[in-house]
Amino acid sequence: MATDHTETLARLANLKASAPQNIAVQAFDQQWFETLPATDQDRILACLASGLANPDSEMGCYAGHADDYDRFKTFFSDVLSHHHKTPSDAVHRSDWAGPSAPMDVTALGLPPLSVRIRVGRNLADLPLPSAMGAKDRQALEDRMQPVFTALAADPQFGGGYHSLTPGHKAETSRDTYHSLIDRHLMFRPLDTDPYLTAAGIAGNWPVGRGAYVSHDQTVIIWVGEEDHLRIMVMDRTTRLDQIFTRLRGLLDRIEAQPVLEFATSARFGNITSCPTNLGTAMRASVHLALPNLTRGGSDKTAKQIARAHGLSVRGMGGEHTAIGNDGTVDLSPSARFCITETEILIRLWTGIQALKEADQAVID
Ligand code: ADP
Ligand code: ARG
């Protein structure tokens, strides 16, 4: 029997008036919804679960299956064009060529910075995290073990896996888990995040979750966070371009493993749970001290200036956390979709320069 959606649709209709910033709620068209077969109606409302439970959401939806973006193109094209300010028929392109010259922040008068570049990836043949059951989550972790064994044997990427799954042979202790979080190597408990919880992404916590960390702690692969995989390189360095090149090398090594095929779309690029990450799924960030712009402890001015340069300011523990007491912020280009990987790196480089100048201008 088809599910009765009367209550959910009434809630959606109310939120259209009270949550104007909630992109998913605003993009939802009930007339279009009525034309869908019953199973698709269930599926699209599952995508909106987080935004319905959390009216303050900015995005308000997560895909549950890799083909949701194409299957529900009417809805997602609208969502994507609102968030990314792209035309509704935009086609994403990738380019990892990198910059034509070294990007050394010494040239900007800066010391070595903590630089991190991550990409999200999802396996093509498993549901996305919001639609996974405990068995899928365990299957994901199991599928990654041969990949980690291969990386562990590679002198460039050697390290070990820390599992959060109770009883796993590589299960990590509570203390080690928290120490990994403090060192920015591991993600926080997903079930403390109301958006991820309502979406189902935090489901079965902590089954199937973990992180591979290289011995030198610069290569990190998260398993079972918002996307199946978050693959990253992080280091204190002056050379942004070297982190980028190292990440590409890591991806090549991972993609060479026969057990993995990542979900992509000819139109949307790399598929991710959250439409904000679709396309490159890349966030390239630096921890940058902006003591003058953040004087008094507020990130408001820094955020305003950053936005004008296409950049986002986050806190020292990542999204939804506070900036450092010394005025250090996490600065990254906001765009992920219809921008290339190389362009993201260039935007970070020019952004660091612009924010540093703006910070200096406060005291000049
Ligand atoms: P994501 O980047 O995967 O979207 P978050 O913003 O939540 O997720 O950040 C995840 C972790 O990565 C947090 O511990 C955050 O402090 C850390 N992090 C992000 N950028 C940097 C950086 N440039 N240097 C050190 N740690 C970083
Ligand atoms: N779901 C939240 C919202 O709609 C967060 C979206 C962006 N952040 C993310 N980690 N995907 O506001």
Side-chain angles (χ1 to χ4, degrees):
M1 208 178 75
T3 323
D4 180 2
H5 295 302
T6 315
E7 251 180 59
T8 311
L9 293 173
R11 180 160 173 76
L12 253 162
N14 282 333
L15 288 177
K16 277 205 184 270
S18 60
Q21 88 301 338
N22 188 322
I23 293 176
V25 161
Q26 296 305 325
F28 183 82
D29 177 353
Q30 192 169 333
Q31 273 181 1
W32 163 78
F33 173 82
E34 309 285 2
T35 66
L36 300 176
T39 48
D40 279 1
Q41 291 191 338
D42 296 346
R43 248 170 88 160
I44 190 65
L45 288 182
C47 294
L48 280 123
S50 184
L52 286 172
N54 299 283
D56 69 339
S57 295
E58 297 282 340
M59 172 47 72
C61 60
Y62 295 92
H65 300 269
D67 65 344
D68 278 354
Y69 290 98
D70 283 306
R71 192 184 191 110
F72 303 118
K73 204 158 53 204
T74 306
F75 170 76
F76 278 110
S77 293
D78 198 9
V79 160
L80 290 166
S81 60
H82 262 89
H83 177 80
H84 297 280
K85 315 273 181 281
T86 46
S88 55
D89 57 353
V91 176
H92 178 81
R93 295 268 169 265
S94 165
D95 168 21
W96 280 87
S100 51
M103 288 179 167
D104 188 333
V105 297
T106 317
L108 308 178
L110 288 165
L113 302 175
S114 181
V115 183
R116 172 182 181 268
I117 310 183
R118 62 85 164 155
V119 291
R121 292 289 184 269
N122 289 282
L123 272 56
D125 57 355
L126 283 174
L128 293 174
S130 67
M132 288 172 105
K135 279 201 175 125
D136 299 315
R137 300 188 202 276
Q138 195 54 76
L140 168 64
E141 187 175 44
D142 292 346
R143 291 265 293 280
M144 291 310 293
Q145 297 313 305
V147 179
F148 296 148
T149 303
L151 287 179
D154 186 319
Q156 271 197 76
F157 305 118
Y161 183 64
H162 305 265
S163 177
L164 303 185
T165 304
H168 193 282
K169 67 179 189 312
E171 185 180 357
T172 197
S173 71
R174 212 185 137 75
D175 285 353
T176 307
Y177 172 52
H178 286 284
S179 147
L180 290 167
I181 295 175
D182 292 344
R183 287 178 285 147
H184 308 278
L185 299 168
M186 185 44 119
F187 46 98
R188 284 166 289 172
L190 300 184
D191 59 359
T192 59
D193 180 316
Y195 307 100
L196 299 182
T197 301
I201 292 176
N204 316 110
W205 176 260
V207 171
R209 276 49 172 237
Y212 178 88
V213 180
S214 66
H215 297 305
D216 65 2
Q217 306 191 343
T218 62
V219 165
I220 308 153
I221 302 169
W222 289 351
V223 180
E225 203 234 14
E226 186 179 306
D227 290 304
H228 291 160
L229 303 174
R230 287 276 168 104
I231 303 171
M232 62 200 94
V233 174
M234 180 171 83
D235 205 357
R236 183 167 291 281
T237 177
T238 63
R239 290 284 299 276
L240 304 189
D241 56 307
Q242 287 180 345
I243 303 292
F244 183 88
T245 308
R246 190 134 192 260
L247 177 60
R248 187 56 258 177
L250 173 64
L251 281 170
D252 289 342
R253 190 76 179 77
I254 295 172
E255 284 169 7
Q257 299 298 314
V259 290
L260 303 183
E261 192 205 324
F262 293 146
T264 58
S265 146
R267 186 160 165 210
F268 298 121
N270 294 292
I271 297 296
T272 53
S273 283
C274 185
T276 60
N277 278 314
L278 200 73
T280 56
M282 172 181 278
R283 191 168 88 86
S285 62
V286 291
H287 280 174
L288 185 68
L290 299 172
N292 305 310
L293 284 178
T294 58
R295 200 175 290 156
S298 165
D299 59 9
K300 200 166 160 231
T301 311
K303 276 192 166 156
Q304 250 168 19
I305 298 173
R307 196 176 309 122
H309 292 279
L311 301 162
S312 301
V313 168
R314 290 186 178 184
M316 292 303 284
E319 195 177 28
H320 308 136
T321 64
I323 62 168
N325 291 332
D326 60 351
T328 303
V329 306
D330 169 326
L331 186 73
S332 62
S334 313
R336 317 259 192 274
F337 181 56
C338 291
I339 181 170
T340 70
E341 290 78 1
T342 301
E343 285 164 348
I344 289 180
L345 189 70
I346 294 170
R347 192 165 293 182
L348 178 63
W349 170 256
T350 52
I352 293 171
Q353 197 166 359
L355 268 287
K356 211 51 220 169
E357 277 168 15
D359 191 66
Q360 187 59 34
V362 175
I363 48 172
D364 283 347

